[in-house]
Structures are given as structure tokens and as C-alpha cells.
Amino acid sequence: MKWRSIVLVLAAAVFCLGLGAGAPEQSLREAAQASGMLIGAAVRPAQLSEAAYASTLAREFNMVEPEDALKWEVVHPEPQTFDFSQADQIVDFASRHGMKVRGHTLVWHRQNPKWLTEGKYTSSELAKILEKHIKTVAAHYRGKIFAWDVVNEASDELHPGQLRSTIWRDQPGIVLAANGYAYMERCFRWAHEADPEALLFYNEGAETEVVNAKSDAIYAMVRDFRQRGVPIDGVGLQMHISNLHADVASISANIKRFTALGVQVHITEMDVSLAVDANGNASPEDLQRQADIYRQIAAACLAYRGCTAIQTWGFTDKYSWIGSHSKHTQGAALLFDRNYRAKPACGALRNELESGRR
Ligand code: XIL
């Protein structure tokens, strides 16, 4: 087992890096291109000056998304100040390397600046602030960001099927809280006014990937928005997977029903976190199981034409939110190790992209 794992690790490293003897193997990016898929990664601008980071990113991916650089606390640090400098670096990198850019995120309850959360604004003041934010940011990137996560994580985690209590919904909310999804409808309409060409997504995590009460509620919202002409083009399924557990049949059924509504599905934040030792290393067996999960999720997406992008939340284990998020008990969640060597998951994903050509 051990020997087989070592062979597979080496093979995957060679394949994804395109260094095979004879005909070079394809990169993830080439494999994705051939199957009409977008393969993306969340990125941090500070790392773009690191040669291995930049070259791996440009070689293996055809899409990027700022991991934090477009969140309110970064892009809108003061009431009258917008700071696009960080996100602009990512957009420039993408344009130099022929990559698409996803925007994340215009409306969220986290990573908001204090001036906003502690400002004690009235409902109508808050609506004006949010409208200005959405329109300013979306207009700045008009023609540069092709798809936006307009609203992120609006579902309540503890009460599946209900909306989370947030500054935007009911504290005090930008419209009457009793109107349910109406606050999100306004956000999608504002974003569409600012950039009519951009694809507008609703993005969700924590258990909306499978069919359950949470995703049922989102499904009903999307169906209602589509029927009434509210501009929504897609649903993002984050896909942060832990404990090596993914109910792929249910994820697949969920992708099927959303795409059947005529919206696109993007896998937006995939990572598969593993138990790690003090050095951040996972076991070879777990790396194989992880590879299988990446392969199965890719297959579930490739099975539906409307599932058009697979994106991971970072791409190298050197920089991943999983470490600090899990107090360093989990890690090794991404496709490349800390030295930018491709892991078994990379080869598995690439093979699936190659065989899933459509
Ligand atoms: C995370 C980032 O990766 C971290 O750098 C940051 O400190 C916290 O947020 N769901 C989301 C992402 O939609 O924006 C989150 O990103 C991860 C969970």
C-alpha cells in the first residue's frame, strides 16, 4: 500500500506539472479548456510576487477569485473610501495570463468594517450605503469580472430553510425583514444595473451542497427569481469538505436540479481538509482518499452542462485558510503541497477533466 501510494504521489506530481518524458502531460488548465470548463483558485495578492506561486497559478488555472480582497473590510474601509488596490493586482495578473475573474462578494455578514456594523444606521440609510457599495464595486470591474457572488451565505445555519439574521436582512435590514428574500432581490437588481453583462450568483456553503432543507429553500428562491425576471444567473456551491465525507449522489442531484432551472452552477470554494501532524503532513492513505473526493466532485459537475466551473479555495497547502480555521489540526486540503508539487488530487482532477470532455 505504502509503495503504491508513493508511486501514485510521484506520478501525480509529474503529470500535473507537465514534466512527463516524451509527450508532456497536460496541465489542469489545458485539460479544463478542452472540456469547456473553468478551473479556478482563490488567490491572495501578496503572494503574486512569489515566483512559484505565480507560475503555478498561471500554468494550472484559467480563472481566479480574490480570497479576501473584495470583501467590504478591504475594499470599503471608510464610508467614503473605496480601495481597489489589492483586487486590481489580481485582475491585472488575470488579464496578463488570459484568465477569467470571479468576484467575491458584494453582500455578506462577515468581514465587514466597524464603521458599517457599529454605525447604527437606519434601514433607509443602510439601503443607500449598500446600493452605493454594490454599484461602485461592480461598475469598477465592469468588463473585467465576469461573474459575481452577489450574496454570500444568507441561510441560517441553525434553522435550515430560514434566513440568517444579519445587518442586511433584519438588523435593521434594507427592506422590511418580513419580506423574506426581498432584500436579496434588491441586491441582484442593483448589481445588474451596474454591470448588465456580469453573471450574478448566489453563493452558499455549509451543507447547501447536498439536497436538504437548506438547499430546498435556496432552490425555491432561485426558481421564484427566475420566474419573476430577477437577474440571477447562477448558484455557487462552496464545497469545503471535511472528515473525508462527501455525499456525492446528493451533491449530484442538487447540481442537476439547479441547472435544470436554467442557472449555472459553479463549485466555488472547494477544499478537502485532512488530519495533519505537527509538520502539517497528512497520511498517504488520506491523500488518496482526498484525490478520490476531488475526482468524484469533478465528475458530478462534468455530468451537467450547466455546471461550468470548479474552483478551489487557494491552490497550495502553503496558503490555505484551513490551518488557522482548524487551529492547525487540519490542513493539506488543496491540489498542490507547500512546495508547489502536485498531489494525487491534482492528477485525479486532471484525469477527470480529460475524460469528462463534453
Ligand atoms: C475565508 C478566507 O479564506 C480567509 O482568508 C478569511 O480570513 C476568512 O474567510 N466561506 C467564504 C469565504 O465564502 O469568503 C471564506 O474565506 C471561507 C468560507
Side-chain angles (χ1 to χ4, degrees):
M1 179 62 198
K2 214 162 189 180
W3 172 239
R4 192 171 159 260
S5 296
I6 291 166
V7 171
L8 287 171
V9 169
L10 290 173
V14 170
F15 289 168
C16 259
L17 292 168
L19 297 174
E25 298 294 335
Q26 293 192 96
S27 65
L28 281 175
R29 180 178 181 156
E30 288 163 332
Q33 213 96 9
S35 54
M37 288 289 288
L38 291 167
I39 178 88
V43 301
R44 301 177 178 175
Q47 264 69 62
L48 290 172
S49 52
E50 188 181 324
Y53 184 96
S55 63
T56 308
L57 182 62
R59 185 185 64 234
E60 301 287 346
F61 298 90
N62 57 19
M63 179 171 82
V64 286
E65 173 165 313
E67 182 168 343
D68 291 301
L70 283 170
K71 291 173 180 170
W72 275 69
E73 64 181 8
V74 181
V75 86
H76 200 166
E78 303 291 339
Q80 305 305 332
T81 309
F82 286 87
D83 180 355
F84 295 112
S85 57
Q86 288 200 37
D88 282 355
Q89 288 178 50
I90 296 170
V91 171
D92 288 350
F93 181 90
S95 111
R96 275 185 277 121
H97 295 96
M99 306 162 102
K100 290 202 167 196
V101 187
R102 275 191 106 259
H104 175 82
T105 173
L106 295 169
V107 185
W108 198 24
H109 60 284
R110 303 190 60 187
Q111 291 181 268
N112 286 321
K114 279 217 166 70
W115 69 260
L116 174 70
T117 53
E118 293 174 7
K120 306 245 184 301
Y121 296 105
T122 65
S123 187
S124 62
E125 285 169 340
L126 202 58
K128 285 201 186 76
I129 291 170
L130 183 56
E131 179 179 4
K132 180 178 160 200
H133 176 89
I134 290 176
K135 290 189 172 173
T136 306
V137 177
H140 180 84
Y141 290 109
R142 195 169 166 165
K144 295 181 175 161
I145 285 187
F146 85 107
W148 273 105
D149 287 337
V150 178
V151 182
N152 192 34
E153 297 180 349
S155 311
D156 192 298
E157 263 156 312
L158 299 178
H159 305 98
Q162 293 180 28
L163 289 173
R164 190 191 290 273
S165 175
T166 71
I167 189 171
W168 308 120
R169 185 177 79 89
D170 61 354
Q171 297 177 28
I174 59 163
V175 293
L176 279 179
N179 288 357
Y181 294 84
Y183 88 92
M184 287 198 253
E185 176 172 343
R186 292 194 87 179
C187 300
F188 278 88
R189 292 192 189 279
W190 285 329
H192 186 66
E193 272 180 54
D195 186 353
E197 302 297 320
L199 298 174
L200 304 182
F201 279 68
Y202 174 76
N203 193 49
E204 251 303 347
E207 288 163 30
T208 29
E209 290 88 353
V210 295
V211 174
N212 59 15
K214 260 179 96 174
S215 63
D216 284 353
I218 301 305
Y219 177 80
M221 176 191 82
V222 175
R223 190 176 51 190
D224 170 55
F225 280 12
R226 296 288 288 182
Q227 279 167 356
R228 292 188 300 106
V230 181
I232 186 166
D233 304 286
V235 173
L237 302 179
Q238 291 183 359
M239 216 64 75
H240 294 289
I241 292 171
S242 52
N243 303 320
L244 284 167
H245 173 76
D247 183 346
V248 180
S250 190
I251 290 168
S252 174
N254 209 23
I255 295 174
K256 181 177 183 179
R257 68 172 175 166
F258 276 113
T259 54
L261 288 177
V263 296
Q264 296 187 34
V265 168
H266 285 176
I267 310 292
T268 50
E269 306 187 10
M270 187 162 177
D271 46 28
V272 180
S273 49
L274 303 178
V276 289
D277 62 20
N279 299 318
N281 293 320
S283 72
E285 290 78 13
D286 279 0
L287 289 171
Q288 287 305 325
R289 291 193 199 111
Q290 176 185 58
D292 206 44
I293 290 179
Y294 271 101
R295 185 187 61 70
Q296 290 181 49
I297 298 294
C301 178
L302 282 156
Y304 302 101
R305 284 206 154 268
C307 189
T308 49
I310 300 172
Q311 179 169 258
T312 52
W313 205 239
F315 61 96
T316 164
D317 292 337
K318 187 172 181 182
Y319 306 113
S320 159
W321 77 304
I322 293 295
S324 55
H325 186 64
S326 69
K327 301 199 169 58
H328 301 280
T329 58
Q330 304 281 307
L334 294 165
L335 301 173
F336 294 85
D337 72 11
R338 280 164 297 162
N339 297 310
Y340 299 96
R341 279 190 307 250
K343 293 161 63 184
C346 189
L349 177 55
R350 194 211 53 179
N351 288 347
E352 201 55 45
L353 287 167
E354 283 182 340
S355 63
R357 205 160 288 179
R358 50 196 182 153

